[in-house]
Amino acid sequence: MTTHLVAGALRLFSGSVARWQGCGPELRQRVYFANHTSNLDGPVLWASLPTEVRMLTRLIGAKDYWSVGRVRPFLAYRVFNAVLIERKQVTREANPLDDMVNALGERHSLILFPEGGRQTTPEPQPFKPGLFHLARKRPDVELVPVWMENLNRILPKGEVLPVPVLGSVTFGAPIRLEEGETKPDFLVRAREAVLSLRH
């Protein structure tokens, strides 16, 4: 019940419209990867998915953000079924990639922001290599680019109260890691797949 209430509140709060341009909201394993300009991005993308898809989709979040206070950890673990990763002290033994591969399992999907953190620039920054390594580890999982529009204007960085601006979440055509494709080439192609959804 809480999950449905939070999802409905997020859709109402953000005024976001889901647009499925390159694929449909199918119940299959996917990694949804998007640009990142607001703390609302992950929750709103999650809330934009149909209920049956949303229930099997896990948000990848930064442990240093989602572990603070009481509300954030509750939302992360009890609502978003999030996988919280360490951004600042990554080691061979504590590798976020292992956590993401384990989180996928046999039926779950993930929401991932390959830039690694919120950005203030109009265009996404170069993608970090996590998406490439995930694609190489799980070639069977579809990679769906997503463009998040206006979420940074609804809840600007450092603000608590929302601004009444309509947002949108546009889902594009799935991509896969091609045979023999290098990491730099793949990351550029993945970033361009997100950028192509702006209009």
Side-chain angles (χ1 to χ4, degrees):
M1 178 65 73
T2 302
T3 298
H4 296 307
L5 288 174
V6 171
L10 282 165
R11 290 192 298 270
L12 180 65
F13 174 75
S14 67
S16 291
V17 177
R19 299 187 177 108
W20 296 84
Q21 291 187 353
C23 64
E26 300 171 40
L27 193 61
R28 59 198 313 171
Q29 276 197 295
R30 289 170 165 169
V31 172
Y32 299 96
F33 64 97
N35 59 310
H36 193 21
T37 61
S38 168
N39 285 326
L40 280 177
D41 291 339
V44 169
L45 199 164
W46 170 85
S48 299
L49 299 169
T51 302
E52 64 275 12
V53 176
R54 185 169 65 242
M55 297 304 290
L56 291 174
T57 302
R58 306 185 68 181
L59 173 63
I60 302 297
K63 185 179 291 185
D64 55 284
Y65 176 81
W66 286 102
S67 296
V68 176
R70 294 185 178 181
V71 175
R72 291 180 196 174
F74 173 81
L75 291 172
Y77 291 116
R78 299 292 297 275
V79 177
F80 304 134
N81 193 18
V83 181
L84 301 187
I85 60 172
E86 181 61 64
R87 292 190 298 182
K88 299 181 179 180
Q89 297 178 352
V90 178
T91 64
R92 186 180 298 273
E93 292 75 25
N95 189 336
L97 178 63
D98 295 335
D99 293 334
M100 290 187 278
V101 171
N102 291 334
L104 277 168
E106 297 182 356
R107 64 190 190 126
H108 284 95
S109 295
L110 302 178
I111 294 171
L112 178 66
F113 298 98
E115 293 171 89
R118 287 178 295 154
Q119 306 298 326
T120 57
T121 54
E123 295 189 352
Q125 293 298 299
F127 284 0
K128 295 185 182 299
L131 183 64
F132 169 80
H133 294 301
L134 193 57
R136 190 169 60 176
K137 286 268 190 182
R138 290 295 304 269
D140 56 309
V141 175
E142 288 186 345
L143 310 173
V144 177
V146 182
W147 178 256
M148 310 287 293
E149 185 74 39
N150 276 343
L151 275 294
N152 60 318
R153 295 175 61 194
I154 294 170
L155 189 64
K157 189 173 183 178
E159 297 296 328
V160 177
L161 296 177
V163 178
V165 179
L166 293 180
S168 65
V169 183
T170 304
F171 298 84
I175 68 170
R176 294 185 185 273
L177 177 64
E178 302 292 343
E179 185 175 353
E181 188 173 22
T182 66
K183 179 170 64 177
D185 287 346
F186 170 78
L187 293 175
V188 167
R189 183 163 66 88
R191 180 177 177 274
E192 289 175 348
V194 172
L195 278 169
S196 70
L197 301 172
R198 284 187 297 179
H199 306 298

